[in-house]
Amino acid sequence: MAGYADDLALAHVLADSADAISMARFRSLDLRVESKPDLTPVSDADTAVEKAIRATLARARPRDGVLGEEFGRTDATAGPGNRYWVIDPIDGTKNFVRGVPIWATLIALMEGDTPVAGLVSAPALGRRWWAGRGLGAFAGRNQHSASRISVSSVRKMTDASFCYASLNGWADNGRLDQMMDILLGVWRSRAYGDFYGYMLLAEGALDAMAEPELSLWDMAALIPIVTEAGGKITDLDGRPTADKSSVIGTNGLLHESVLTALARRS
């Protein structure tokens, strides 16, 4: 337990550095934006944040590897091990480059295939969320100004606030009809997208969120926060999530209902 507390303390240090870099570039007139091979945008802030985090981890955790969205996998300098950090330097780059304040740096620690600690820092919103396995989930402006968070107790889909990122991916996945049925049947639906919906889920402000495909760096930091807050995250088949996986996150009480509603139709 203490080990994860130490790792979370380091994650806050990493986030402090990331926030300083990203906020200095947010809404900057000379921000440089390019397109990656998959046609998604990457800014000079994305690369600068990831480089800074990697440099600190190389000094502070030489026995840990690193996987980042912009620069891929790097083995530990002290030799191969079971632990590695997963970094999304700016989750919500499209928001970032358009001046929308809903973006964040995502920092996770993995042991093997299991995310054991996660931190999400959204400096333009003035808020962070973090959790370590067995330590609970917290949110606040910083580590010293925080409150424990937990998911909602909503039990019926007709009473639920449901979140999604966009509808295009569900059309590509062949489940647009299922998603539309959910959106028309729940109490409220909103498309917050990216990290933000999952953090609202962990806080109990909404009750479920689903996305048809995410990479490991998109979700690794989110999993400990949602689960330590009492929620549940799986893929569309109810299995633990993996890289390039579909994701369903709920307060736990609604999970089977969402799985059933999104199941493929014959």
Side-chain angles (χ1 to χ4, degrees):
M1 297 295 183
Y4 299 137
D6 291 343
D7 292 318
L8 280 172
L10 174 60
H12 279 279
V13 173
L14 298 173
D16 288 342
S17 173
D19 290 354
I21 295 169
S22 58
M23 285 301 291
R25 302 301 293 148
F26 184 49
R27 294 175 175 162
S28 174
L29 296 178
D30 64 345
L31 182 72
R32 298 188 303 277
V33 183
E34 300 176 353
S35 291
K36 293 189 285 190
D38 63 359
L39 301 182
T40 58
V42 58
S43 72
D44 59 83
D46 292 80
T47 54
V49 167
E50 186 168 325
K51 286 178 180 178
I53 291 175
R54 285 174 174 272
T56 301
L57 286 173
R59 295 189 302 270
R61 291 290 190 273
R63 295 186 180 276
D64 297 347
V66 180
L67 171 66
E69 180 177 8
E70 307 307 333
F71 299 107
R73 183 74 178 256
T74 302
D75 291 332
T77 56
N82 189 46
R83 291 170 33 121
Y84 66 101
W85 297 79
V86 179
I87 310 300
D88 189 342
I90 296 181
D91 184 56
T93 299
K94 292 177 181 178
N95 282 346
F96 184 88
V97 301
R98 291 296 301 271
V100 179
I102 302 175
W103 50 270
T105 295
L106 278 51
I107 302 169
L109 175 63
M110 306 281 292
E111 287 186 350
D113 295 328
T114 303
V116 294
L119 182 147
V120 172
S121 184
L125 299 178
R127 195 158 179 81
R128 286 183 186 176
W129 300 261
W130 61 92
R133 189 167 63 183
L135 299 178
F138 298 85
R141 183 171 291 275
N142 54 54
Q143 192 174 16
H144 306 292
S145 176
S147 301
R148 191 157 186 160
I149 57 175
S150 62
V151 296
S152 73
S153 57
V154 172
R155 294 178 175 272
K156 297 179 180 179
M157 292 290 283
T158 51
D159 296 330
S161 180
F162 186 90
C163 186
Y164 62 102
S166 70
L167 294 178
N168 293 347
W170 292 105
D172 296 339
N173 187 268
R175 307 192 201 207
L176 181 59
D177 289 343
Q178 291 93 318
M179 178 56 67
M180 292 304 301
D181 286 346
I182 290 176
L183 300 184
L184 293 172
V186 295
W187 170 68
R188 192 169 190 256
S189 63
R190 288 293 183 271
Y192 296 114
D194 301 314
F195 73 94
Y196 195 45
Y198 298 98
M199 297 302 94
L200 293 175
L201 166 64
E203 291 186 348
L206 58 84
D207 311 303
M209 181 166 179
E211 292 185 88
E213 183 180 59
L214 289 177
S215 296
L216 183 59
W217 47 74
D218 295 316
M219 70 179 77
L222 313 180
I223 293 172
I225 298 171
V226 171
T227 56
E228 285 293 317
K232 186 173 183 178
I233 289 186
T234 69
D235 68 8
L236 289 174
D237 296 313
R239 301 171 300 196
T241 55
D243 195 28
K244 297 294 183 185
S245 176
S246 56
V247 177
I248 293 175
T250 73
N251 63 0
L253 301 171
L254 293 170
H255 210 80
E256 291 303 319
S257 296
V258 178
L259 281 171
T260 299
L262 283 173
R264 290 196 183 277
R265 298 170 180 171
S266 56

